[in-house]
């Protein structure tokens, strides 16, 4: 009897052990994760169908949202980002003021110089920075409001300062992103209320971490090091050494066939011929376009002629409509390889000779994931997605396909000054270098999938490329 | 042979002692002490030795040569004591290739006497005295207590 009980106990322990080990190897070891090429629950057609319907478009939803809103109570600054709890309310209220300006509720207009712009920035108020440089008319479309005239010297808007004035009026300052030509407007609108106490509320009560300070206020924005490198007045200094979640990048086309991607580019995968080049890339050719798919997740579409690309709809659509359709197309390509929403934000809109160039970047937890895919056999790509249009056609589409998930590890962010020292050292021998932004984010070199830790990303001379602190 | 060993040992001891003496900011400095030099750093902010603010956080910035070590001291009523890290070690910062330093400090209401001590690798040091006064801000008190008057004023902006 006793022997039987011992046997039963051993069998029960073995069964529990078996279940636990199976769980470990299936769900914890990544066997069924995104890198497992042979089977995934999320690849089942029914799961894909339901999953896709429940998504909202991340890039479209966020197009009207500022990259950051910085609140100044007159002494120090506190930035708010999209992932902060208080961001939505702040965005609604400041967005209403910008809408009021664009729709023409202007009482007084005054041209101001750059020093006046900086002194407005030092006054209690709110600084709004958009992720892209918008033409005023396009910004009005993005914010879903009518557009009245603005001074013609304001051709591209990337930021604004809002300052409380009187009971039903506020000051808004805009500057042209290229020329720095600035204007101050007095906006009078019965629907607007912007008491100065709001600022103290946001710099004290809702503040999540420490204080920040624009470089111009630190009195340090002159030549640094040997004097060759300058830091822009608009760079935010801080003492914060936040702890950030690491992330894991994975290649969603690893081990998959290319049929679905090709269909998203309107290529018929069945009779299609392809060849593999010396870089291991699969090159698919149709009459007027080519699609090249590299094993590391870099894909490239190129139309032979500007009027033979991927049609985005009827001719004569405005730039805002073209942008929305280009986003739809990017989401279509993405859904051919992943069931997750495409977590990118539009970070650049540029007029070209033929039409437009749109760039989009990956984001995770509110932080940018800068990408650098510069290898032999392809043109360097410094964004998640780059789309070029001509009229209503996409003539070039390039993407570095990556999906990102949270890792279990975290990394303490280095002090801002260590990053500044590093980049000043890096660019010490370059002529006329201005550090125009320095902020924490992730950097994906595009070499391997694996864990990415937060680092400092540096932008110089307002260019698109980001440099990571190594 | 014996002399060689003794010489090597002496050199070793000298190197160790020298390296230990580099950037050893003292654990207290008497009020009114003077530095050995006055050209190691230039404090940019605050731009005068006495200033006032309504906030209890303030940033001190300055420029100096690469390699100069900075330590910020606060006055405790009898002497200046250095700011500490979380692990109770003295908080120091070495100026890097940017040639600038930036540190935020916590202040208490009223006058705060601050001293910035900069020390070069040759042991020379500079002492810079600052007085930063935090003035009482009644609006801030209302904000923090979230008074009814304040709530009605901020209607629409509350999270």
């Amino acid at each position: 009897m006793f022997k039987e009980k011992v046997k039963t106990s051993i069998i029960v322990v073995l069964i529990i052990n078996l279940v636990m080990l199976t769980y470990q190897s299936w769900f914890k070891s990544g066997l069924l994760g995104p890198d497992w090429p042979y089977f995934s629950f999320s690849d089942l057609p029914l799961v894909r169908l339901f999953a896709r319907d429940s998504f909202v478009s991340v890039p479209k939803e966020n197009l009207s949202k500022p990259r950051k809103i910085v609140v100044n109570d007159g002494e120090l600054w506190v930035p708010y980002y999209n992932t902060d709890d208080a961001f939505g309310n702040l965005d609604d209220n400041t967005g209403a003021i910008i809408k009021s300006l664009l729709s023409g509720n202007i009482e007084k207009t005054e041209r101001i110089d750059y020093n006046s712009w900086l002194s407005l920035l030092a006054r209690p108020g709110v600084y709004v920075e958009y992720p892209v440089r918008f033409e005023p008319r396009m910004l009005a479309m993005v914010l879903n409001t009518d557009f009245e005239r603005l001074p013609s010297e304001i051709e591209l808007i990337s930021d604004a300062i809002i300052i409380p004035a009187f009971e039903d009026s506020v000051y808004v300052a805009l500057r042209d992103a290229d020329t720095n030509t600035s204007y101050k407007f007095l906006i009078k609108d019965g629907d607007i209320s912007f008491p100065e106490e709001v600022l103290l509320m946001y710099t004290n009560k809702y503040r999540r971490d420490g204080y920040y300070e624009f470089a111009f206020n630190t009195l340090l924005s002159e030549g640094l090091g040997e004097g060759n490198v300058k830091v822009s007045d608009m760079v935010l200094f801080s003492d914060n050494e936040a702890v950030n979640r690491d992330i894991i990048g994975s290649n969603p086309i690893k081990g998959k066939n290319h049929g679905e991607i090709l269909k998203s580019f309107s290529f018929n995968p069945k009779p299609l011929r392809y060849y593999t080049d010396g870089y291991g890339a699969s090159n698919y050719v149709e009459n007027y376009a080519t699609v090249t798919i590299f094993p590391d997740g870099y894909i490239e579409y190129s139309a032979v002629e500007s009027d033979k690309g991927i049609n985005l709809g009827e001719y004569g659509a405005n730039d805002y409509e073209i942008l929305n359709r280009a986003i739809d197309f990017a989401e279509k390509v993405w859904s051919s390889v992943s069931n997750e929403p495409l977590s990118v934000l539009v970070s650049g809109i540029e007029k070209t000779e033929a039409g437009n160039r749109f760039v989009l970047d990956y984001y995770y937890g509110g932080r940018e994931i800068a990408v650098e895919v510069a290898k032999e056999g392809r043109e360097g790509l410094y964004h998640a997605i780059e789309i070029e249009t001509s009229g209503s056609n996409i003539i070039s589409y390039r993407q570095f396909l990556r999906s990102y998930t949270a890792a279990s590890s975290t990394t303490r962010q280095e002090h801002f000054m260590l990053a500044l020292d590093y980049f000043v050292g890096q660019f010490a021998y370059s002529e006329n270098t201005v550090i125009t932004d320095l902020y924490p984010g992730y950097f994906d070199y595009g070499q391997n999938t694996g864990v990415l830790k937060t680092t400092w990303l540096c932008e110089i001379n307002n260019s698109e490329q980001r440099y990571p602190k190594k | 042979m014996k002399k060689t060993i003794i010489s090597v040992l002496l050199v070793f001891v000298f190197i160790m002692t020298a390296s230990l003496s580099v950037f050893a900011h003292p654990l207290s400095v008497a009020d009114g002490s003077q530095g050995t030099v006055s050209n190691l750093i230039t404090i940019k902010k605050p731009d005068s030795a006495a200033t006032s603010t309504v906030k209890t956080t303030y940033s001190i910035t300055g420029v100096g040569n690469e390699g100069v070590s900075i330590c910020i001291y606060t006055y405790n009523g009898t002497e200046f004591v250095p700011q500490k890290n979380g692990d109770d070690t003295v908080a120091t910062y070495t100026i890097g290739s940017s040639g600038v330093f930036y540190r935020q400090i916590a202040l208490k209401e009223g006058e705060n006497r601050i001293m910035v001590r900069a020390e070069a690798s040759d042991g020379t040091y500079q002492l810079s005295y600052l007085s930063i006064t935090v003035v009482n801000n009644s609006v801030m008190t209302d904000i923090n207590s979230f008074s009814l008057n304040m709530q009605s004023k901020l209607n629409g902006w509350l999270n």
Side-chain angles (χ1 to χ4, degrees), chain A residues 316-327:
Chain A
N318 64 43
D319 289 345
Y320 180 55
E321 288 164 336
I322 297 281
L323 170 62
N324 273 290
R325 291 172 196 173
I327 291 171

Side-chain angles (χ1 to χ4, degrees), chain B residues 62-79:
Chain B
V63 296
N65 289 333
E66 185 174 357
V68 169
S69 173
I70 305 289
C71 183
I72 295 173
Y73 288 69
T74 49
Y75 190 63
N76 66 4
T78 50
E79 58 190 359

Side-chain angles (χ1 to χ4, degrees), chain A residues 212-286:
Chain A
Y212 292 71
E213 198 164 358
F214 281 111
F216 81 89
N217 199 62
T218 64
L219 309 177
L220 294 174
S221 53
E222 43 200 69
L224 303 179
E226 297 297 314
N228 288 332
V229 183
K230 290 186 175 173
V231 60
S232 157
D233 290 320
M234 308 305 291
V235 170
L236 277 177
F237 279 56
S238 89
D239 234 7
N240 281 339
E241 291 170 288
V243 174
N244 298 308
R245 174 72 48 198
D246 297 338
I247 57 171
I248 300 170
S250 58
N251 176 1
I253 57 168
K254 189 178 174 186
K256 288 185 179 167
N257 76 48
H258 300 156
E260 290 297 316
I261 304 179
L262 293 169
K263 276 189 212 164
S264 68
F265 287 99
S266 303
F267 275 42
N268 184 356
K270 291 284 184 210
L272 208 62
R273 289 193 178 167
Y274 77 98
Y275 65 91
T276 305
D277 63 23
Y279 305 106
S282 306
N283 291 261
Y284 299 87
V285 184
E286 270 200 348

Side-chain angles (χ1 to χ4, degrees), chain A residues 66-356:
Chain A
R67 184 171 174 234
K68 62 177 178 248
I69 300 176
V70 188
V71 184
N72 174 19
D73 62 12
E75 292 270 329
L76 289 164
W77 289 261
V78 174
Y80 283 88
Y81 297 91
N82 206 347
T83 45
D84 293 322
D85 292 339
F87 180 88
N89 215 329
L90 202 50
D91 179 35
D92 288 347
N93 283 284
T94 53
I97 293 169
I98 301 289
K99 277 185 188 182
S100 188
L101 163 74
L102 294 169
S103 57
N105 294 322
I106 301 171
E107 191 83 353
K108 196 176 156 194
T109 302
E110 182 189 348
R111 196 178 195 277
I112 56 171
D113 61 18
Y114 183 61
N115 283 335
S116 305
W117 164 270
L118 288 183
S119 44
L120 288 176
L121 202 58
R123 280 174 56 179
V126 170
Y127 171 76
V128 180
E129 183 188 297
Y130 290 102
V132 292
R133 296 138 70 101
F134 286 112
E135 287 180 359
R137 185 175 296 278
M138 189 157 183
L139 180 59
M141 283 187 218
V142 166
L143 292 173
N144 196 21
T145 190
D146 298 330
F147 177 67
E148 285 293 320
R149 266 168 49 85
L150 279 182
S152 59
E153 288 169 292
I154 305 283
E155 290 181 11
L156 291 168
I157 299 170
S158 64
D159 52 7
I161 302 169
I162 303 170
I163 291 177
F166 313 107
E167 189 123 312
D168 59 349
S169 52
V170 292
Y171 286 115
V172 178
L174 293 179
R175 63 173 177 160
D176 183 82
D178 277 339
T179 63
N180 260 347
T181 307
S182 308
Y183 277 85
K184 186 171 94 174
F185 306 92
L186 178 64
I187 311 299
K188 199 169 169 63
D189 185 338
D191 294 335
I192 287 175
S193 148
F194 190 12
E196 205 164 312
E197 290 83 354
V198 161
L199 305 169
L200 287 167
M201 176 69 78
Y202 278 89
T203 54
N204 288 276
K205 212 161 183 67
Y206 295 152
R207 178 168 54 90
R208 195 174 56 170
D209 49 25
Y211 287 107
Y212 292 71
E213 198 164 358
F214 281 111
F216 81 89
N217 199 62
T218 64
L219 309 177
L220 294 174
S221 53
E222 43 200 69
L224 303 179
E226 297 297 314
N228 288 332
V229 183
K230 290 186 175 173
V231 60
S232 157
D233 290 320
M234 308 305 291
V235 170
L236 277 177
F237 279 56
S238 89
D239 234 7
N240 281 339
E241 291 170 288
V243 174
N244 298 308
R245 174 72 48 198
D246 297 338
I247 57 171
I248 300 170
S250 58
N251 176 1
I253 57 168
K254 189 178 174 186
K256 288 185 179 167
N257 76 48
H258 300 156
E260 290 297 316
I261 304 179
L262 293 169
K263 276 189 212 164
S264 68
F265 287 99
S266 303
F267 275 42
N268 184 356
K270 291 284 184 210
L272 208 62
R273 289 193 178 167
Y274 77 98
Y275 65 91
T276 305
D277 63 23
Y279 305 106
S282 306
N283 291 261
Y284 299 87
V285 184
E286 270 200 348
N287 288 343
Y288 299 108
T290 58
V291 170
T292 310
I293 302 173
F294 287 73
D296 64 1
Y298 172 83
I299 61 168
E300 192 177 276
Y301 165 90
S302 182
V304 175
E305 289 173 40
S306 60
D307 59 341
K308 301 289 185 195
I310 296 158
N311 188 254
L312 293 175
E314 78 272 18
Y315 184 77
N318 64 43
D319 289 345
Y320 180 55
E321 288 164 336
I322 297 281
L323 170 62
N324 273 290
R325 291 172 196 173
I327 291 171
D328 288 339
F329 180 76
E331 288 180 323
K332 184 178 157 195
V333 173
W334 180 251
S335 68
S336 73
V337 298
S338 173
N339 296 314
E340 299 299 316
L342 176 59
S343 186
V344 295
L345 297 185
V346 178
S347 52
I349 300 171
E350 187 193 339
K351 281 262 183 217
T352 61
E353 247 175 60
N356 285 291

Side-chain angles (χ1 to χ4, degrees), chain A residues 73 75 89 193 202 213 421, chain B residues 45 53 55 59 98 157-158:
Chain A
D73 62 12
E75 292 270 329
N89 215 329
S193 148
Y202 278 89
E213 198 164 358
D421 287 338
Chain B
K45 186 182 169 225
T53 174
K55 302 300 288 281
S59 67
S98 66
W157 285 85
L158 296 176

